[in-house]
Amino acid sequence: MGILRLHETDNAEIEEFRRMLLSCAAGHRRKDGDDLRDNVPVISGAGNEDVLEKLVCVTSGVSYLGIAIVNQLLVRGYSVRIIVDNEEDVEKLRQMEISGEMRLTNSIIEIVMAKLNEIESLANAFDGCRGVFHTAGFIDPAGLSGYSKAMAEIEVSASKNVVKACGVTPSVRHCVLTSSLLTCIWRDNSCNGLPSVIDHSCWSDESVCQNKKLWYALGKLRAEKSAWKVAKESGVKLATVCPGLITGPDFYHRSPTSTIAYLKGVQEMYVNGLLASVDVNRLAEAHVCVFEGMKKTASGRYICFDRIIGSGDEIENLARETGINSSTIIGGASSSNRARFELSNQKLFRLMSRTWRCFNE
């Protein structure tokens, strides 16, 4: 059984489904006193009360990371409510299912139209969900003109709203927020006494990010700090995942602005041994593992990477995939003056090792 039981040869049926889905999603708004589950358009699945215990919400479920998390949740038996804010995203989801990018399961997928700048809208969307994955990244809709300082402020506001909405939604028990490794590594390296190991306890310096105009790093840093502050005030159980550069099949074309924004300052990251990446599917597994672990003892921040880019072949691959000249990445660095610091993802490694069965095939 699949998420959508569509027959690609029947164009009339597909077109009718498209119109129905777009109409339902665009028109969804919960009225006071209504049960959200009765109003959310369901893409597929046979619903029952047991399913509701495994209902979770993913913001920006059509993004490169978002769809990977959705797939991981589906294959592990979760039902997923995806937040979208326009009809084009609904169409993207339908195309993903038809193309096979969205994995086939017997679970339920729901689509909800909601605005990340409206707490009430988010709370309505979260109603009935046991957990929320906030993955949304704000990028320049024009493409490669870059991640600006203004976008950083929007990201901060959205993260605060998501956690506040979790706090006022009785059904939500846990929230997992996607942050970035950049929130840990940008420090004033001229200072003496900096620890050589960078792990989940390390925080970037806002002034360093501002001075270097690292707006993506600044946005993620302020968004995560704001989320932790709101979570503490509202009693929300929060965990954050701080990934390196998100890679995988066609990653640059699927997520160009955030990729370029992440790589601003790439030469300094490379020289200091801090240029790390993580495959999108591995990162999605980590998100689900952290969420599962929160039901027991998992909490706090988790650094996530599976490769530290350092060899000549790795540099050439990154340059080829992103269009960045390899000399821009390495500059004048040599093997003798690299790797001033060491990245540690031991906290996440231990968690995933303890729950390895949740990642078997």
Side-chain angles (χ1 to χ4, degrees):
M1 295 184 67
I3 293 174
L4 304 176
R5 298 188 62 81
L6 295 176
H7 302 282
E8 294 186 65
T9 56
D10 190 341
N11 292 330
E13 182 180 351
I14 293 175
E15 181 59 23
E16 178 61 25
F17 174 83
R18 186 187 72 82
R19 289 195 295 267
M20 177 275 294
L21 186 56
L22 292 177
S23 174
C24 290
H28 168 69
R29 286 290 187 276
R30 192 184 109 162
K31 298 179 180 179
D32 291 341
D34 287 347
D35 187 340
L36 180 68
R37 291 179 303 232
D38 294 335
N39 291 309
V40 174
V42 178
I43 295 184
S44 79
N48 54 60
E49 290 304 314
D50 292 335
V51 169
L52 297 179
E53 284 300 312
K54 298 199 75 175
L55 176 62
V56 296
C57 187
V58 179
T59 66
S60 192
V62 298
S63 69
Y64 189 56
L65 173 59
I67 195 63
I69 292 175
V70 169
N71 278 330
Q72 287 295 328
L73 289 165
L74 291 174
V75 298
R76 304 195 195 291
Y78 286 89
S79 295
V80 184
R81 184 174 293 164
I82 300 174
I83 289 182
V84 298
D85 63 5
N86 58 69
E87 295 180 357
E88 288 75 15
D89 283 347
V90 180
E91 178 66 12
K92 286 179 184 178
L93 288 171
R94 186 187 74 92
Q95 293 297 334
M96 287 175 181
E97 195 284 330
I98 292 175
S99 69
E101 184 174 355
M102 189 177 289
R103 300 179 185 178
L104 303 180
T105 72
N106 291 320
S107 299
I108 294 173
I109 296 181
E110 302 172 342
I111 298 175
V112 175
M113 299 289 286
K115 298 296 183 181
L116 293 175
N117 61 349
E118 299 175 2
I119 296 174
E120 183 179 2
S121 176
L122 287 169
N124 287 340
F126 296 164
D127 188 25
C129 294
R130 297 300 184 257
V132 172
F133 293 81
H134 178 47
T135 67
F138 292 87
I139 61 173
D140 181 359
L144 293 179
S145 56
Y147 186 104
S148 68
K149 189 175 183 179
M151 292 177 201
E153 295 306 317
I154 294 173
E155 183 139 27
V156 173
S157 177
S159 294
K160 290 170 64 175
N161 289 341
V162 166
V163 180
K164 286 179 180 178
C166 289
V168 298
T169 308
S171 64
V172 175
R173 296 168 183 167
H174 308 106
C175 177
V176 179
L177 180 143
T178 307
S179 183
S180 174
L181 179 60
L182 300 181
T183 65
C184 307
I185 67 173
W186 286 110
R187 307 172 298 172
D188 185 355
N189 293 332
S190 65
C191 295
N192 295 323
L194 284 178
S196 60
V197 176
I198 295 178
D199 61 12
H200 59 277
S201 66
C202 297
W203 287 92
S204 292
D205 188 322
E206 287 194 27
S207 62
V208 170
C209 295
Q210 287 180 312
N211 292 338
K212 295 178 182 291
K213 294 182 170 53
L214 302 169
W215 306 131
Y216 187 76
L218 183 66
K220 291 294 186 181
L221 177 61
R222 287 180 172 173
E224 187 184 351
K225 284 186 173 181
S226 297
W228 280 114
K229 183 175 185 294
V230 173
K232 183 177 180 180
E233 294 170 348
S234 58
V236 172
K237 188 169 185 181
L238 175 70
T240 60
V241 180
C242 304
L245 176 67
I246 302 174
T247 60
D250 204 29
F251 74 91
Y252 177 71
H253 296 289
R254 290 286 303 277
S255 189
T257 304
S258 56
T259 298
I260 293 299
Y262 186 100
L263 290 173
K264 190 171 183 180
V266 61
Q267 188 175 129
E268 188 173 342
M269 285 189 278
Y270 170 74
V271 168
N272 288 323
L274 302 176
L275 180 55
S277 65
V278 59
D279 180 81
V280 66
N281 291 315
R282 178 65 171 175
L283 177 57
E285 290 178 351
H287 277 73
V288 179
C289 187
V290 169
F291 177 72
E292 290 281 358
M294 292 174 75
K295 300 173 185 177
K296 297 178 181 178
T297 59
S299 62
R301 310 173 77 213
Y302 293 85
I303 284 181
C304 185
F305 64 90
D306 53 22
R307 176 179 292 121
I308 297 176
I309 300 173
S311 71
D313 288 344
E314 290 170 334
I315 294 297
E316 290 299 327
N317 287 337
L318 180 62
R320 183 174 58 254
E321 290 170 328
T322 61
I324 298 175
N325 194 295
S326 58
S327 62
T328 300
I329 300 174
I330 63 176
S334 66
S335 58
S336 62
N337 60 6
R338 285 189 59 251
R340 288 185 57 195
F341 301 100
E342 178 185 351
L343 287 173
S344 172
N345 59 359
Q346 283 301 304
K347 183 181 178 184
L348 178 62
F349 178 80
R350 288 193 295 269
L351 175 66
M352 295 184 74
S353 296
R354 289 197 301 268
T355 57
W356 192 254
R357 287 186 179 181
C358 73
F359 297 111
N360 63 22
E361 296 183 354

